[in-house]
Amino acid sequence: MAHPEPAGHEEEHHGSPWPVIVAVGMAVAYVGIVSASIPLLLVGFVIFAGGTGGWVHHDMQEPSSPFYGFVDAVESKFPRVSARKLAIWLVLATEIMFFSAIIGASWTLRVRTTTPGTLAYGGPWAEPNQILNVPLTGLNTFILICSSLTMVEALGAIERGDQKRLRLFLLATLLLGVTFLGIQAYEYTKLYFGEGLTFASAPHNVNPLYGATFYAQTGVHGSHVLAGVLAMAYTTRKAFKGGFTKENHEAVELAGLYWHFVDVVWIFLFTIVYLV
């Protein structure tokens, strides 16, 4: 038997204008990308950023609780899943396809352009540690793995109702994420200005596509880590305001799902880009 939320809860979510504003901003930005219109892209980004900020501000004022939507009124023998959790799983499913396409395309370019005697041959691929700093990135990988452990501890803490440890481990996860991005920014600076690895060229007579595939794969992942850091900053701030309880802490769980996803993706990328 379904257990309905308190009266007015569902209407409150459906009555919020912020999700619509965010969607409009994304649509306008997409049209700007397709039409190669920079002004339209910027307008869409501003609408998207404003809608996201308003949505976060509104949600910050509310206690955390799961939103089940219309399925709450339907009897089912299966465990109910909130609309938010279903949405994040759908997002992660599309992200898996997205990263698979980027990694697959990069690997295909590598194989086809490093085969001597073919028309597509552009030179050899870089050996591990020839251009990239594998030990530094190995340390960065360890940092990201540690952030997954602190995220697990944060979720376990709020499930026990331990507010102090929740705040401590969320803050630790946030700082580890920022550290990862800082090291990656340092690596990019050294590679671009020090080694001469760009989108169109590579040092040591390495295949020029090496730089393009490297920045495409690691850059897209870095943008996802940045999104995770922003989500973690929101979750941490709300935790310090007492917005989560033992009974209602869905946002912590959802932020954790996304964070673990970007960590797992990085393990694959580190192996493929840096070690193979």
Side-chain angles (χ1 to χ4, degrees):
M1 182 73 178
H3 303 283
E5 298 291 334
H9 179 76
E10 189 173 325
E11 288 77 3
E12 179 181 330
H13 283 276
H14 288 296
S16 174
W18 297 116
V20 177
I21 294 173
V22 169
V24 169
M26 294 175 67
V28 172
Y30 177 74
V31 172
I33 293 174
V34 173
S35 62
S37 172
I38 300 300
L40 200 58
L41 174 61
L42 293 176
V43 169
F45 178 77
V46 169
I47 296 174
F48 171 80
T52 302
W55 196 357
V56 169
H57 176 73
H58 178 267
D59 193 65
M60 195 71 70
Q61 316 306 317
E62 304 292 333
S64 178
S65 59
F67 170 49
Y68 292 93
F70 72 93
V71 295
D72 221 17
V74 180
E75 292 189 14
S76 174
K77 296 180 180 179
F78 298 99
R80 62 179 184 171
V81 177
S82 77
R84 290 169 175 168
K85 187 175 293 187
L86 176 61
I88 196 68
W89 278 114
L90 290 175
V91 167
L92 295 183
T94 61
E95 291 289 353
I96 290 173
M97 292 185 282
F98 178 63
F99 275 103
S100 297
I102 292 178
I103 295 172
S106 298
W107 186 262
T108 299
L109 286 173
R110 174 177 178 174
V111 171
R112 290 188 176 182
T113 62
T114 56
T115 304
T118 63
L119 292 176
Y121 181 70
W125 216 246
E127 295 294 329
N129 219 28
Q130 181 180 357
I131 299 176
L132 306 181
N133 190 334
V134 175
L136 177 64
T137 310
L139 171 63
N140 218 18
T141 302
F142 176 73
I143 289 173
L144 203 58
I145 292 173
C146 288
S147 72
S148 263
L149 297 178
T150 56
M151 190 66 229
V152 169
E153 289 294 331
L155 180 58
I158 192 58
E159 287 177 342
R160 299 188 300 272
D162 191 335
Q163 296 283 346
K164 183 177 180 181
R165 287 177 64 85
L166 167 69
R167 296 164 184 163
L168 172 65
F169 284 111
L170 280 180
L171 183 59
T173 305
L174 174 61
L175 293 177
L176 288 170
V178 170
T179 302
F180 176 88
L181 289 177
I183 293 177
Q184 189 171 50
Y186 169 79
E187 178 192 29
Y188 275 18
T189 302
K190 294 287 289 183
L191 289 173
Y192 195 91
F193 296 104
E195 295 286 345
L197 182 67
T198 70
F199 287 94
S201 63
H204 313 305
N205 295 319
V206 169
N207 193 309
L209 286 176
Y210 180 79
T213 58
F214 167 77
Y215 286 117
Q217 294 176 92
T218 60
V220 167
H221 177 267
S223 68
H224 281 71
V225 176
L226 176 60
V229 165
L230 294 176
M232 203 59 61
Y234 154 76
T235 307
T236 303
R237 183 184 175 193
K238 190 163 185 175
F240 273 88
K241 294 181 67 175
F244 303 116
T245 64
K246 181 179 181 180
E247 293 75 23
N248 292 315
H249 52 267
E250 187 177 49
V252 178
E253 183 178 358
L254 300 186
L257 283 173
Y258 181 84
W259 195 255
H260 296 319
F261 169 77
V262 296
D263 287 4
V264 170
V265 169
W266 179 251
I267 292 174
F268 281 99
L269 280 176
F270 176 64
T271 303
I272 294 171
V273 176
Y274 288 84
L275 301 181
V276 178

